[in-house]
Amino acid sequence: MASTQSKQEPLEVLFDCSSTPALESCQPVTFKMLQFIALLPTLLVLGASTTSATLVIRQSQTYACKCYAGESCYPNTSAWQALNTTVQGNLQVALPPAAPCFNSVAGIQTYDANRCQQVRSSFSNQQWTTDHPIANMWTYWTNDTCSLYSFNPSASCTRGYYGDYVILAKTREHIQAGVNFARDRNLRLVIRNTGHDFMGRSTGYGSLIINTHSFKSVSFTTQYTGPGSYRGGAVTVGAGIQVRELYRLANARSPPVVVVGGECPTVGLAGGYIQGGGHGPMSSFYGMGADNALSFEVVTASGEFVTANEVENPDLFWALKGGGPSTFGVVVSVTVKTFPEVRTSGVSLDISSTNSAIFWQGVAALHDLSNRWVENGIQWSART
């Protein structure tokens, strides 16, 4: 997509946002692109010594590994500039969320006392983490780099398993540009909305990240008219919507409706949740999240923007309903079923005893009753 802007947009070095962040309120420190990006081949390589993409031979077939900074196949300054223009200045250099609490990251001076205090006060807040453009809910998957548990304003830290760049996508054309850029230049590509993936697929070393968190559209209908026999209520949500946002909007309807979504309020609905199957509080009544998907809007690996449902691209529709997050394309929006409001109640059962035998008797009794509860539509979970 050609940019409508006439001037070259600078890249921004990504620090944390405010303690109540939204992508629009981020005010990262800005470096002129030509001053900063020329350093990247040496700053981001993290010990790589090759000059071209490594070739791997498996079963007599030769495969090219992904290109990383420091290799001759890695995009040069002009290529990144062109991508930044195409996505209308929404390309940023990605640094770990806690970078402001360290003197430097990969040779970049990053310490900022005020920003460090914001990070320290917000780091354990799930909403802050999910709103951040690259943060991961479980830092294990980032190699615990730039950890606040060991921060030192005079020390440096590494990039860990975070990506090199992030596109803060605002339109489907931004997503298409990122997919095409990564494919044509053999770059590792990561799709991120909330960083909630238990398996760490929301981050990846040396990758180009496409952040879909800005896609916040929500549209309800009382009667779905798309392909298939279903004619009940439905809602179409953008890829950035989290279930807490959707639940509140659904409850505000007249009459209120419910949607099958995750239990954790910061889980995103449209992306990895449904593509991974999607269980939640309503699953005992209405099935998995994937069972309730009616239609997807998707950017495929070829960069095409397509609709996938029972009639259009039915194979892709089938694959997206549980085939794995970011496996078959980048979901831009999804349409799912809505249902009449379900009255619920909850109870908390604590088993506490200094006598271990009594404690485990209580746990055994809980499990003996669990199947009966589930068969009667009761969801339960255990915490230690």
Side-chain angles (χ1 to χ4, degrees):
M1 181 189 74
S3 172
T4 58
Q5 297 182 349
S6 59
K7 65 177 182 178
Q8 186 71 53
E9 293 290 341
L11 279 186
E12 294 178 323
V13 175
L14 180 61
F15 293 109
D16 71 297
C17 303
S18 63
S19 58
T20 55
L23 292 182
E24 294 81 3
S25 66
C26 292
Q27 295 181 340
V29 175
T30 300
F31 290 78
K32 289 298 183 182
M33 188 171 189
L34 290 177
Q35 294 174 330
F36 174 72
I37 200 169
L39 300 174
L40 288 176
T42 54
L43 296 181
L44 304 182
V45 64
L46 296 180
S49 58
T50 57
T51 58
S52 61
T54 304
L55 297 181
V56 178
I57 299 177
R58 298 191 185 98
Q59 297 180 342
S60 301
Q61 296 294 319
T62 301
Y63 300 87
C65 294
K66 297 300 183 183
C67 289
Y68 294 95
E71 298 179 329
S72 60
C73 57
Y74 194 75
N76 59 22
T77 299
S78 297
W80 288 112
Q81 284 180 316
L83 176 61
N84 190 45
T85 299
T86 301
V87 298
Q88 300 174 302
N90 286 296
L91 179 68
Q92 294 185 351
V93 176
L95 293 177
C101 295
F102 291 82
N103 179 60
S104 63
V105 177
I108 306 166
Q109 297 298 309
T110 56
Y111 181 71
D112 184 304
N114 292 332
R115 290 179 178 274
C116 179
Q117 183 56 44
Q118 292 175 2
V119 173
R120 295 181 65 189
S121 63
S122 306
F123 203 76
S124 61
N125 183 296
Q126 282 193 8
Q127 191 61 53
W128 181 88
T129 300
T130 58
D131 285 344
H132 192 281
I134 67 167
N136 198 280
M137 191 70 72
W138 291 274
T139 57
Y140 169 85
W141 298 111
T142 64
N143 203 33
D144 286 319
T145 188
C146 296
S147 173
L148 284 180
Y149 299 108
S150 59
F151 86 93
N152 184 345
S154 62
S156 62
C157 66
T158 68
R159 299 178 64 85
Y161 296 150
Y162 285 108
D164 290 354
Y165 292 92
V166 56
I167 297 174
L168 303 183
K170 304 295 193 302
T171 68
R172 75 189 192 199
E173 289 83 5
H174 294 169
I175 295 176
Q176 289 174 295
V179 169
N180 291 335
F181 188 86
R183 183 194 63 247
D184 294 345
R185 290 160 178 80
N186 196 30
L187 301 177
R188 186 177 184 181
L189 183 65
V190 168
I191 313 304
R192 182 201 185 276
N193 173 25
T194 65
H196 239 293
D197 195 302
F198 283 108
M199 299 303 295
R201 288 166 291 196
S202 301
T203 191
Y205 165 74
S207 61
L208 171 62
I209 302 166
I210 298 178
N211 182 299
T212 62
H213 202 54
S214 291
F215 289 76
K216 294 289 190 180
S217 61
V218 178
S219 178
F220 287 90
T221 181
T222 56
Q223 185 176 38
Y224 179 70
T225 58
S229 60
Y230 179 76
R231 289 296 176 262
V235 60
T236 300
V237 302
I241 284 292
Q242 294 168 271
V243 295
R244 172 163 47 199
E245 298 169 307
L246 183 57
Y247 291 162
R248 288 172 176 170
L249 292 171
N251 188 62
R253 299 282 293 171
S254 182
V257 295
V258 296
V259 177
V260 175
E263 179 180 6
C264 182
T266 55
V267 168
L269 182 82
Y273 171 76
I274 287 180
Q275 292 173 65
H279 64 84
M282 293 291 108
S283 292
S284 296
F285 290 98
Y286 301 123
M288 303 286 280
D291 297 326
N292 292 283
L294 298 168
S295 183
F296 295 89
E297 290 184 321
V298 189
V299 174
T300 66
S302 64
E304 295 179 273
F305 177 73
V306 302
T307 298
N309 53 41
E310 289 187 18
V311 174
E312 298 181 74
N313 301 295
D315 288 348
L316 178 59
F317 179 58
W318 178 84
L320 290 170
K321 298 199 302 177
S326 303
T327 304
F328 299 97
V330 185
V331 171
V332 179
S333 73
V334 64
T335 301
V336 298
K337 299 175 183 177
T338 63
F339 302 95
E341 182 183 25
V342 177
R343 294 292 181 181
T344 61
S345 60
V347 61
S348 177
L349 174 64
D350 291 328
I351 304 174
S352 58
S353 175
T354 56
N355 186 317
S356 61
I358 294 176
F359 174 81
W360 288 113
Q361 287 175 13
V363 172
L366 179 68
H367 280 277
D368 287 341
L369 293 168
S370 63
N371 284 342
R372 189 185 311 170
W373 292 345
V374 172
E375 289 168 358
N376 286 276
I378 298 176
Q379 183 193 41
W380 72 280
S381 61
R383 296 184 181 182
T384 58

